[in-house]
């Protein structure tokens, strides 16, 4: 400091004290205070002080030149390199990591770049930063190891696969394995043997690749297997369709095996009927010439009895005594061989048929009664089968039913009775005759439209056959002088048809009138001469005529003749589409 005094003389300056203070200061900063004393010659003094404050506003120096950016191979061990730092204070500098940023954008696989930023700070809070960037690259091919799947040899037919290799990469991430090629070589190999080579490629995320291969050699040292399971024998029922069952054959090569029939032997010895046993032997051969054989025996037996059914007559058939009919049976056997068929009624043997198909017997003069007939078929192995019974009935005569009771017809002055004769059999009736019995003689009652007499018994008869299952209706006319109602007994019988009569010739007569009655009969009215005979004729046209029965004897008056079908004409007039009539006076 400077000092003056009133004396004008020199002053003496002395340092009283120097005090350094670090309290409240950062780092190496401080303040220092010095006090001086000025003294004059007379011993008068005075003091003054100066304080110097030392501060630190200079950032420390951090040096990343010692840890420059660097590139490392992916998978290599690495670290960031610590920078150096110094400060003007001469004291230690604190280094801290501000951040570490890893960037994978634009990088392949697991490659990246990582940047670490450090901060150097002195005791007074002055800071400075620097950074280092490490780039991880991948130019190293992955390691693919086929040593874990070396070349191998396997037996043909054995299931196998290529063994997947192992692969690793310096990236530590997954490696993609792809099959580049699979080459199968059959040249120089027999049958289905071969060798196959597969080449794999390992690719990492940056496209670095490596390859390795495995070869599998498939050889055939095992003979084929032909399978005749369950001794390959079976039993079948005679008559059943059957075939030999082809054996199964396998081979380790898995390809087709050639099966050939070596022999087929049929043996009939000791067998009945059509039974037998047959043995077939097969050989199986593979492509490498290995061969084996097996056999199958099929034994055809007959344990099924024949089946038989009576096809004629049918159940419920009716015959007229004395009946003559054929009993016909149909028989089947599994082996197709029927030895004979016996026919029974109850326990009575009716006959046997051993003459082959058709199997039948003829029964003659069978009396009235009910019969249950069965057929027993025997095959060549002695097995027997029985048919269902067929029940038939033999009746004494055709069935007759009165369909219109006896009544008086004032138009004709005759009593009339209409009857129906039914044919319940399966044979046609050639003709049916109905005898009219029990007519009184006092006064005499006569059948007016009789067809004839047998032993003075009147009868009416059909003109045509009666087919099976059908019927014919006939109107019987009675002349009763005193109009006493007749009480006849009607007895139908089968007869042979009468010889057809040629319509007689005569002189055509005038028909006064003709008309259809309400009951569908037809009336022809004409004049007559007493005791002259008139033939009334009918037909489908004007050229073909038939004579109605019986002829009419004239009375000298008008006669009304009614066509009511059988027995006068062969059918009712209403059943025909057209019918013409004429009347002839016979000579």
């Amino acid at each position: 400091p400077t000092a003056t005094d009133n004396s004008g003389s020199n002053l003496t300056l002395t340092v009283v004290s120097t005090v350094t203070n670090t309290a409240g200061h950062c780092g190496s900063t401080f303040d220092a205070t010095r006090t001086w004393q000025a003294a004059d010659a007379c011993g008068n003094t005075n003091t003054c002080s100066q304080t110097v404050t030392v501060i630190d506003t200079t950032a420390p120096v951090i040096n990343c030149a010692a840890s420059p950016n660097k590139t490392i191979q992916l998978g290599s061990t690495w670290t960031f390199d610590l920078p150096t730092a110094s400060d003007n204070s001469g004291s230690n500098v604190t280094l801290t990591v501000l951040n570490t940023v890893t960037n994978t954008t634009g990088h392949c696989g697991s490659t990246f770049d990582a940047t670490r930023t450090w901060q150097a700070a002195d005791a007074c809070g002055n800071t400075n930063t620097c950074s280092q960037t490490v780039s991880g690259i991948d130019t190293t091919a992955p390691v693919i190891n086929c040593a874990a799947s070396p070349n191998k040899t396997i037996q043909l037919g054995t299931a196998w696969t290529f063994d997947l290799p192992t692969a690793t990469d310096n990236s530590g991430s997954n490696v993609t394995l792809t099959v580049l090629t699979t080459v199968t070589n059959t040249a120089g190999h027999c049958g289905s043997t071969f060798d196959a080579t597969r080449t794999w490629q390992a690719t990492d995320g940056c496209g670095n690749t490596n390859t390795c291969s495995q070869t599998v050699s498939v050889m055939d040292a095992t003979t084929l297997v032909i399978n005749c399971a369950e001794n390959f024998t079976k039993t079948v029922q005679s008559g059943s369709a059957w075939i030999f069952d082809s054996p199964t054959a396998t081979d380790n090569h898995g390809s087709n095996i050639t099966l050939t029939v070596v022999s087929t032997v049929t043996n009939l010895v000791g067998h009945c009927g059509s039974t037998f046993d047959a043995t077939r032997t097969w050989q199986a051969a593979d492509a490498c010439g290995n061969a084996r054989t097996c056999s199958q025996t099929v034994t055809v037996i007959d344990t099924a009895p024949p089946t038989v059914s009576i096809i004629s007559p049918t159940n419920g058939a009716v015959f007229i005594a004395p009946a003559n009919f054929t009993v016909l049976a149909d028989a089947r056997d599994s082996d197709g061989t029927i030895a004979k068929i016996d026919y029974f009624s109850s326990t009575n043997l009716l006959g046997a048929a051993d003459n082959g198909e058709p199997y039948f017997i003829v029964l003659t003069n069978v009396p009235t009664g009910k019969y249950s007939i069965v057929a027993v078929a025997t095959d060549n192995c002695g097995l027997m089968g029985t048919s269902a019974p067929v029940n038939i009935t033999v009746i004494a005569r055709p069935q007759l039913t009165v369909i219109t009771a006896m009544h008086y017809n004032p138009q004709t002055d005759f009593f009339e009775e209409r009857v129906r004769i039914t044919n319940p059999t399966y044979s046609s009736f050639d003709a049916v005759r109905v005898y009219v019995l029990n007519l009184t003689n006092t006064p005499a009652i006569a059948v007016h439209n009789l067809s004839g007499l047998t032993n003075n018994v009147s009868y009416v008869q059909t003109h045509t056959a009666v087919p099976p299952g059908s019927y014919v209706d006939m109107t019987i006319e009675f002349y009763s002088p005193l109009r006493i109602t007749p009480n006849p007994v009607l007895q139908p019988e089968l007869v042979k048809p009468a010889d057809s009569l040629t319509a007689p010739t005569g002189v055509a007569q005038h028909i006064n009138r003709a008309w259809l009655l309400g009951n569908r009969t037809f009336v022809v009215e004409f004049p007559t001469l007493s005791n002259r005979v008139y033939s009334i004729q009918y037909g489908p046209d004007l050229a073909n005529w038939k004579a109605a029965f019986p002829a009419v004897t004239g009375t000298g008056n008008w006669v009304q003749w009614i066509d009511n079908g059988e027995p006068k004409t062969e059918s009712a007039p209403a059943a025909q589409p057209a019918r013409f009539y004429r009347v002839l006076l016979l000579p």
Side-chain angles (χ1 to χ4, degrees):
T2 61
T4 63
D5 188 60
N6 56 1
S7 66
S9 60
N10 292 333
L11 296 176
T12 303
L13 287 173
T14 58
V15 176
V16 177
S17 65
T18 301
V19 178
T20 300
N21 175 41
T22 60
H25 290 272
C26 65
S28 298
T29 63
F30 59 92
D31 61 78
T33 301
R34 178 167 284 181
T35 301
W36 288 270
Q37 178 180 275
D40 60 17
C42 289
N44 297 308
T45 63
N46 203 354
T47 61
C48 73
S49 298
Q50 181 187 30
T51 298
V52 177
T53 301
V54 178
I55 65 172
D56 187 358
T57 60
T58 302
V61 176
I62 185 169
N63 184 10
C64 281
S67 53
N69 297 341
K70 63 183 178 181
T71 299
I72 57 98
Q73 186 64 34
L74 193 63
S76 301
T77 301
W78 65 275
T79 60
F80 288 102
D81 302 315
L82 199 67
T84 60
S86 60
D87 191 59
N88 57 352
S89 67
S91 60
N92 290 336
V93 177
T94 301
L95 284 176
T96 57
V97 176
L98 283 184
N99 58 56
T100 303
V101 179
T102 300
N103 174 40
T104 58
T105 303
H107 292 270
C108 65
S110 299
T111 61
F112 61 92
D113 61 73
T115 300
R116 176 165 286 179
T117 300
W118 289 270
Q119 177 181 268
D122 61 16
C124 291
N126 298 306
T127 63
N128 205 350
T129 62
C130 75
S131 299
Q132 180 187 34
T133 296
V134 176
S135 297
I137 65 172
D138 187 1
T139 60
T140 303
V143 176
I144 183 170
N145 182 13
C146 281
S149 54
N151 297 341
K152 63 182 179 181
T153 300
I154 58 105
Q155 182 62 37
L156 187 64
T158 302
W160 65 273
T161 60
F162 288 103
D163 302 313
L164 199 66
T166 59
T168 57
D169 190 57
N170 58 349
S171 67
S173 58
N174 291 335
V175 177
T176 302
L177 283 175
T178 56
V179 175
L180 283 184
T181 60
T182 302
V183 178
T184 300
N185 174 38
T186 59
H189 293 270
C190 73
S192 299
T193 61
F194 60 93
D195 60 72
T197 300
R198 175 164 287 180
T199 300
W200 288 269
Q201 176 178 276
T203 305
D204 64 15
C206 290
N208 301 304
T209 62
N210 206 351
T211 62
C212 73
S213 298
Q214 180 189 34
T215 297
V216 177
S217 298
V218 179
M219 56 174 286
D220 186 1
T222 303
T223 58
L224 62 109
V225 175
I226 183 169
N227 184 16
C228 291
E230 298 178 359
N231 296 322
F232 229 43
T233 61
K234 66 179 180 179
T235 299
V236 298
Q237 182 63 37
S238 178
S240 300
W242 65 272
I243 57 172
F244 287 105
D245 301 313
S246 186
T248 58
T250 57
D251 192 55
N252 55 354
H253 58 67
S255 59
N256 291 334
I257 296 172
T258 302
L259 281 174
T260 55
V261 176
V262 176
S263 64
T264 303
V265 178
T266 301
N267 174 38
L268 302 176
V269 176
H271 293 274
C272 66
S274 299
T275 62
F276 60 91
D277 62 74
T279 300
R280 175 165 286 179
T281 300
W282 290 268
Q283 175 180 275
D286 65 14
C288 290
N290 301 308
R292 294 187 68 181
T293 61
C294 75
S295 299
Q296 180 189 35
T297 296
V298 177
T299 301
V300 179
I301 62 173
D302 187 3
T303 60
T307 59
V308 59
S309 60
I310 297 175
I311 58 178
S312 179
T314 57
N315 193 52
V318 178
F319 299 93
I320 308 299
N324 301 316
F325 56 89
T326 299
V327 183
L328 175 65
D330 177 62
R332 295 286 183 270
D333 192 57
S334 58
D335 66 358
T337 306
I338 299 294
K340 66 172 181 174
I341 296 181
D342 295 312
Y343 296 90
F344 293 88
S345 175
S346 297
T347 58
N348 298 323
L349 178 64
L350 301 177
D354 57 3
N355 50 354
E357 293 189 64
Y359 301 100
F360 69 93
I361 60 172
V362 178
L363 301 181
T364 59
N365 297 319
V366 179
T368 58
K370 293 183 179 295
Y371 300 89
S372 182
I373 301 174
V374 296
V376 178
T378 304
D379 66 12
N380 281 359
C381 288
L383 299 169
M384 302 173 69
T386 302
S387 72
V390 170
N391 299 306
I392 66 167
T393 302
V394 179
I395 59 178
R397 52 183 54 86
Q399 298 172 346
L400 182 144
T401 306
V402 176
I403 59 174
T404 304
M406 186 74 70
H407 63 279
Y408 176 69
N409 187 344
Q411 184 166 4
T412 60
D413 196 27
F414 296 136
F415 282 91
E416 296 177 354
E417 185 176 28
R418 191 162 181 80
V419 298
R420 175 170 293 172
I421 298 93
T422 304
N423 181 1
T425 73
Y426 59 77
S427 299
S428 181
F429 292 168
D430 292 332
V432 178
R433 178 176 293 178
V434 179
Y435 286 101
V436 183
L437 306 171
N438 199 41
L439 292 179
T440 61
N441 293 323
T442 307
I445 298 177
V447 178
H448 176 71
N449 61 341
L450 76 165
S451 300
L453 294 168
T454 298
N455 296 326
N456 292 321
V457 177
S458 301
Y459 64 84
V460 293
Q461 183 171 321
T462 60
H463 289 73
T464 59
V466 183
S470 66
Y471 59 85
V472 62
D473 293 342
M474 290 194 293
T475 299
I476 306 175
E477 297 175 338
F478 298 89
Y479 175 66
S480 177
L482 300 180
R483 293 183 181 172
I484 297 172
T485 302
N487 187 27
V489 173
L490 304 180
Q491 182 176 294
E493 288 188 8
L494 298 183
V495 294
K496 293 296 181 183
D499 295 335
S500 59
L501 299 176
T502 303
T505 60
V507 179
Q509 299 295 295
H510 173 71
I511 295 176
N512 184 47
R513 60 176 180 158
W515 68 95
L516 186 67
L517 295 177
N519 62 359
R520 309 295 290 172
T521 61
F522 197 80
V523 180
V524 177
E525 182 182 84
F526 59 94
T528 64
L529 298 174
S530 181
N531 296 322
R532 294 297 299 273
V533 179
Y534 296 85
S535 174
I536 301 174
Q537 300 179 1
Y538 64 97
D541 49 41
L542 297 176
N544 299 286
W545 297 98
K546 295 181 180 180
F549 279 101
V552 175
T553 300
T555 62
N557 297 315
W558 292 94
V559 169
Q560 287 185 347
W561 177 87
I562 296 179
D563 183 0
N564 46 24
E566 295 275 12
K568 288 182 180 179
T569 60
E570 61 188 3
S571 62
Q576 303 300 317
R579 179 168 283 182
F580 297 85
Y581 297 91
R582 70 179 181 180
V583 178
L584 299 181
L585 175 62
L586 301 183

